[in-house]
Amino acid sequence: MKAEDIKNLKIAIIGAGYGGAAAAKALSLLGADVKVYEQAPQMGEVGAGIGLRPATMARFREWGIFDAVAKVSSPSDYFEILTAAGEPIMKDTWPEFGEEKQTYLIHRGDFIEALLGVLPEGMVQLGHRLETIEDKGGRSVLTFTNGETVEADLVVGADGIKSVVREQLFSDKGPVFSGEHAYRAVISADDAHGLVFDDNLRMYIGKGTKVYLLPLRHRNQMSFDITALNPDGTWAPEVTKEGLLATVDGFDERLVNITRGLDMETVNIRAVYDIDPVDTWHKASVVLMGDAAHSMLHHQGQGANSAIEDAGALADALAQAGSVKEALALFQAIRKPVTDELQRISRQGWSEEEVNDVFPGQKPAAQMPTSQKPTSVTAPAQSKG
Ligand SMILES: Cc1cc2nc3c(=O)[nH]c(=O)nc-3n(C[C@H](O)[C@H](O)[C@H](O)COP(=O)(O)OP(=O)(O)OC[C@H]3O[C@@H](n4cnc5c(N)ncnc54)[C@H](O)[C@@H]3O)c2cc1C
């Protein structure tokens, strides 16, 4: 689209998570009139770490915000996968993207703060919970639970896994329970039993449990994440310390000791959900992105990274196409095949045979009762980050 047409474009982004904040940056750099509407009265994130991949960091460089993110993160060269007992299975460098070779490990709270911190004052409107959305062709009408009504030429639905935009305009299918829980905490490196010694991500795997250690050395901390099989699909289930310890039974003693030392008040406990692929992400003046479009299981560490890539691709499409309508179709054509595949891989994991190949002599899946078999084991080349 011509620069002056983009400048006249009034864009409303729903949700100020990673996807919405990144889209606000990318679209305002094109000159569009952008506002972000966020339901929360103030922003916060769960205590956990996340890895920002080389492709994500390349976008940040392009948008001039690389330093703002890099200064609150630690660059990592590789990731490692180990058995429950701590024997190495594989070690690999992160997939490169152009000049970018490292993945930046960051606390989720620092990440959202850095992203929102580069947006101009007033761009994000907190306390705005979207209630209804109506696509009227070239414009859309939004109503919020606080009584406000907004009209926009383009609405970007970045409102996460329980998206109202998706539910009202694209699909009435709700989130799908994976049969797993995620237990996440950020602990002091001093309580990590010697396991914080470099800046690389490690995943210990066995008996249907994955333990992710993501060092945050710039904070003298470590993000400790146990993902374990559990049939309770309650969104925020209650789990005791004993329950947590049972998931790491037989793991490297240091991991058991870290678990034993956790302050349960600080552990974020969540049942793990994703969504089925959504057939179409756009209408005349509305588009979905991030988890709203393609929430995926976290085993590949690609959800937040995909949301950032969506933001970049949406801005590129608007700059390249002749109209909003064409741009939204182009955006979907570029991004949906990629995220469809990530959604599929993150659900599929390895087959039992492949798990057995990876654990020669140990064969955890074959030796376990059916209820304990790993349903979804991270593919090494795409390990969580
Ligand atoms: C256990 C776990 C571990 C993960 N680990 C990783 C990882 O290592 N790497 C990775 O890349 N990804 C990871 N993810 C995935 C990642 O967290 C998500 O993919 C990412 O947060 C999606 O960003 P988003 O902006 O699309 O959605 P969200 O972060 O969910 O943001 C949506 C925003 O919209 C707001 N909102 C919702 N409804 C409304 C409404 N009606 N009106 C206004 N605002 C609204 C919400 O308050 C929120 O601020 C993990 C996820 C889980 C559950």
Side-chain angles (χ1 to χ4, degrees):
M1 286 174 71
K2 291 198 201 103
E4 69 245 40
D5 292 338
I6 295 181
K7 281 202 169 62
N8 288 328
L9 211 56
K10 192 175 166 195
I11 301 180
I13 298 173
I14 309 301
Y18 304 132
K25 182 67 195 170
L27 298 174
S28 56
L29 282 172
L30 293 180
D33 170 8
V34 178
K35 279 267 180 314
V36 186
Y37 299 94
E38 165 60 43
Q39 65 179 0
Q42 60 189 52
M43 292 307 294
E45 257 295 350
V46 298
I50 195 169
L52 302 174
R53 298 298 183 89
T56 300
M57 296 309 289
R59 279 295 184 188
F60 293 159
R61 225 180 256 289
E62 181 190 324
W63 300 338
I65 63 172
F66 183 96
D67 291 343
V69 175
K71 77 173 185 216
V72 287
S73 58
S74 293
S76 157
D77 296 321
Y78 66 85
F79 62 90
E80 200 172 3
I81 302 180
L82 306 100
T83 64
E87 290 143 19
I89 298 171
M90 61 98 50
K91 180 168 152 179
D92 206 351
T93 51
W94 298 101
E96 296 178 12
F97 188 88
E99 304 278 286
E100 305 296 340
K101 297 183 179 12
Q102 293 173 306
T103 281
Y104 284 68
L105 308 184
I106 192 167
H107 187 286
R108 293 177 76 107
D110 291 346
F111 182 35
I112 196 64
E113 207 175 300
L115 279 182
L116 294 173
V118 298
L119 301 179
E121 185 98 21
M123 186 177 276
V124 178
Q125 307 273 301
L126 297 173
H128 281 68
R129 180 178 174 73
L130 181 75
E131 190 165 35
T132 65
I133 174 165
E134 208 183 334
D135 178 78
K136 293 182 174 272
R139 69 193 170 91
S140 285
V141 180
L142 309 168
T143 66
F144 295 90
T145 53
N146 62 10
E148 275 185 47
T149 299
V150 168
E151 286 201 18
D153 306 309
L154 171 60
V155 176
V156 179
D159 49 344
I161 187 167
K162 295 179 183 166
S163 170
V164 169
V165 179
R166 185 183 70 239
E167 189 208 328
Q168 291 190 9
L169 294 183
F170 297 96
S171 163
D172 55 9
K173 287 206 267 172
V176 180
F177 178 46
S178 69
E180 288 177 310
H181 284 180
Y183 312 123
R184 292 178 286 174
V186 173
I187 62 169
S188 167
D190 305 334
D191 298 330
H193 293 267
L195 286 170
V196 177
F197 52 87
D198 66 11
D199 294 313
N200 297 305
L201 179 93
R202 289 185 174 78
M203 179 178 75
Y204 294 73
I205 175 173
K207 304 181 180 178
T209 294
K210 306 168 195 71
V211 180
Y212 303 92
L213 303 186
L214 189 141
L216 298 165
R217 284 207 300 175
H218 54 286
R219 283 170 150 260
N220 192 39
Q221 287 179 326
M222 178 176 80
S223 173
F224 182 69
D225 173 344
I226 301 173
T227 302
L229 299 174
N230 194 303
D232 178 4
T234 311
W235 195 263
E238 284 185 21
V239 178
T240 60
K241 174 73 73 66
E242 288 64 40
L244 246 64
L245 280 166
T247 66
V248 292
D249 186 28
F251 274 62
D252 182 318
E253 199 52 31
R254 293 167 298 179
L255 301 175
V256 177
N257 286 333
I258 292 173
T259 309
R260 192 171 289 120
L262 289 175
D263 171 2
M264 291 303 285
E265 294 290 309
T266 65
V267 180
N268 177 273
I269 300 179
R270 226 188 99 166
V272 180
Y273 280 79
D274 67 358
I275 60 170
D276 289 328
V278 178
D279 292 340
T280 309
W281 291 353
H282 62 96
K283 295 215 175 278
S285 60
V286 183
V287 67
L288 295 174
M289 65 168 291
D291 272 15
H294 49 62
S295 175
M296 59 189 73
L297 301 183
H298 60 276
H299 309 307
Q300 274 73 27
Q302 293 279 13
N305 285 284
S306 296
I308 308 298
E309 290 200 45
D310 286 354
L314 182 59
D316 290 350
L318 280 166
Q320 282 162 28
S323 65
V324 169
K325 194 172 164 209
E326 278 174 39
L328 301 188
L330 177 61
F331 165 69
Q332 172 171 321
I334 288 171
R335 291 296 299 152
K336 194 165 149 50
V338 179
T339 60
D340 279 356
E341 181 61 3
L342 287 171
Q343 282 183 291
R344 189 186 69 79
I345 293 171
S346 69
R347 269 188 187 174
Q348 187 187 42
W350 291 338
S351 68
E352 188 176 314
E353 293 70 37
E354 286 165 322
V355 172
N356 289 337
D357 284 347
V358 174
F359 294 91
Q362 191 178 344
K363 300 194 187 325
Q367 289 169 0
M368 258 184 267
T370 316
S371 62
Q372 296 251 301
K373 283 184 184 176
T375 49
S376 134
V377 180
T378 307
Q382 315 228 21
S383 164
K384 176 183 189 290

